Amino acid sequence: MTILPRADEPVRQMPADPRRLALCAAQWARTHRVRAGGWNLRYREAGEGPPLVLIHGLGCSTDYWVRNGAWVASAGYRVLAPDLPGFGRTEGPRAGLSIVKQAYAVSVFAEALQLGPAAYLGHSLSCQTVLELACTEPARVSALVLAAPTGDRRKKRLVREAIGFLRDIPREPPSLVPIVADAYLRAGPLRWTRTWFAGKRHDAFEAARGVEAPAMVMVGARDPVVSAPFARAIADAIGGARMRIIPDAAHALIYDEPAGFNGAVVEFLDEVVKRKGPHPLV
């Protein structure tokens, strides 16, 4: 019987091989393009092994994963991170994308690169994107990781999130500001605002109930946007999903506490992907 760690238990850190990490960092520094679904998608890639696709949050880009991609790849995974259409340096509709269309973009990206079953990791709004993908295309998803998931059903959700984002700014490292600012300026306020509003029209809980892949939900202990009880509710909706709280992290837990975040992701994927093999539906 596998004994799972408590939600708030610190992750056991696994030191990365310096040479492998350096190789993966060099690979991650380069960007690539692939034609998929009518888009010329920009993406980063590093490593070899079971595929893991990282999907950035609202307004961001593949550059957001600067503290994650190479490290996780060095642990024995083929890690890929695309710019969603309209964000980063990938052209897309000025009106933004609905969650369903974002999931379609991720699907055609995976198909273009012939990934087969892969693990998918979303942050913030893109957690709804990967939930939709896992619900509608279960054979494509071998595992699911949701980092600071959105999808609150309560009234005034957008007002609550906006206040949370403002409260989150002073909790984040100053070095994150230029990364996010550059991405938001490239996207433009109309595109990311409409994409944000579109997220409200998507039922994250309905999608969560349709997930059949093993899943983990993660949240920062200091996140003013996504609360631990809400993250737990999403985990419960999936059924059998585990929950991890990253101490000292705010909303950008992927950047705030990369060691704890990356370690938890690798620990989870090593168990549900490497040890168990492909998803049983495949």
Side-chain angles (χ1 to χ4, degrees):
M1 180 179 68
T2 301
I3 300 176
L4 300 179
R6 299 193 315 272
D8 58 350
E9 181 179 329
V11 177
R12 296 185 298 277
Q13 295 303 310
M14 295 159 284
D17 180 289
R19 289 178 295 181
R20 181 181 295 177
L21 180 58
L23 174 61
C24 290
Q27 294 173 341
W28 194 256
R30 298 191 295 269
T31 59
H32 312 273
R33 295 275 179 177
V34 63
R35 293 291 302 181
W39 297 299
N40 188 23
L41 298 171
R42 170 183 177 250
Y43 69 99
R44 295 182 187 274
E45 177 179 354
E48 297 179 348
L52 166 65
V53 182
L54 311 178
I55 307 300
H56 62 78
L58 176 66
C60 295
S61 72
T62 180
D63 303 335
Y64 197 34
W65 304 100
V66 63
R67 295 184 172 183
N68 317 105
W71 198 99
V72 177
S74 72
Y77 291 89
R78 180 189 178 190
V79 183
L80 307 98
D83 286 344
L84 290 175
F87 297 98
R89 289 173 173 81
T90 293
E91 294 296 323
R94 289 183 57 80
L97 291 178
S98 67
I99 296 299
V100 171
K101 289 183 178 178
Q102 288 185 46
Y104 170 74
V106 175
S107 177
V108 295
F109 169 76
E111 187 65 28
L113 293 175
Q114 299 182 340
L115 294 185
Y120 288 83
L121 191 165
H123 175 251
S124 196
L125 183 68
S126 288
C127 290
Q128 295 177 235
T129 303
V130 296
L131 277 172
E132 182 69 20
L133 179 69
C135 175
T136 57
E137 298 190 55
R140 193 177 291 286
V141 181
S142 62
L144 201 62
V145 179
L146 309 179
T150 57
D152 197 333
R153 284 174 164 172
R154 292 179 297 173
K155 294 181 179 179
K156 299 182 179 180
R157 165 190 165 182
L158 296 183
V159 173
R160 294 174 187 273
E161 287 184 357
I163 294 172
F165 284 131
L166 291 175
R167 292 176 57 206
D168 185 60
I169 293 173
R171 305 186 187 195
E172 302 293 353
S175 59
L176 180 60
V177 174
I179 297 174
V180 174
D182 177 71
Y184 270 62
L185 287 172
R186 288 182 180 278
L190 178 64
R191 182 178 285 129
W192 60 257
T193 299
R194 288 190 172 182
T195 300
W196 180 37
F197 275 61
K200 185 178 183 297
R201 297 190 291 271
H202 175 260
D203 192 334
F205 284 89
E206 181 180 355
R209 287 191 291 270
V211 173
E212 300 178 10
M216 177 172 66
V217 180
M218 306 175 71
V219 67
R222 300 174 59 247
D223 189 341
V225 181
V226 179
S227 69
F230 174 77
R232 169 59 69 185
I234 286 287
D236 290 344
I238 294 173
R242 63 197 68 182
M243 171 87 175
R244 295 305 297 259
I245 299 174
I246 304 299
D248 301 322
H251 188 62
L253 69 167
I254 70 172
Y255 191 91
D256 300 345
E257 295 292 333
F261 177 83
N262 295 340
V265 170
V266 171
E267 185 178 86
F268 171 68
L269 295 180
D270 281 353
E271 178 181 338
V272 303
V273 175
K274 285 188 175 178
R275 295 181 188 175
K276 293 188 178 180
H279 190 274
L281 291 179
V282 179

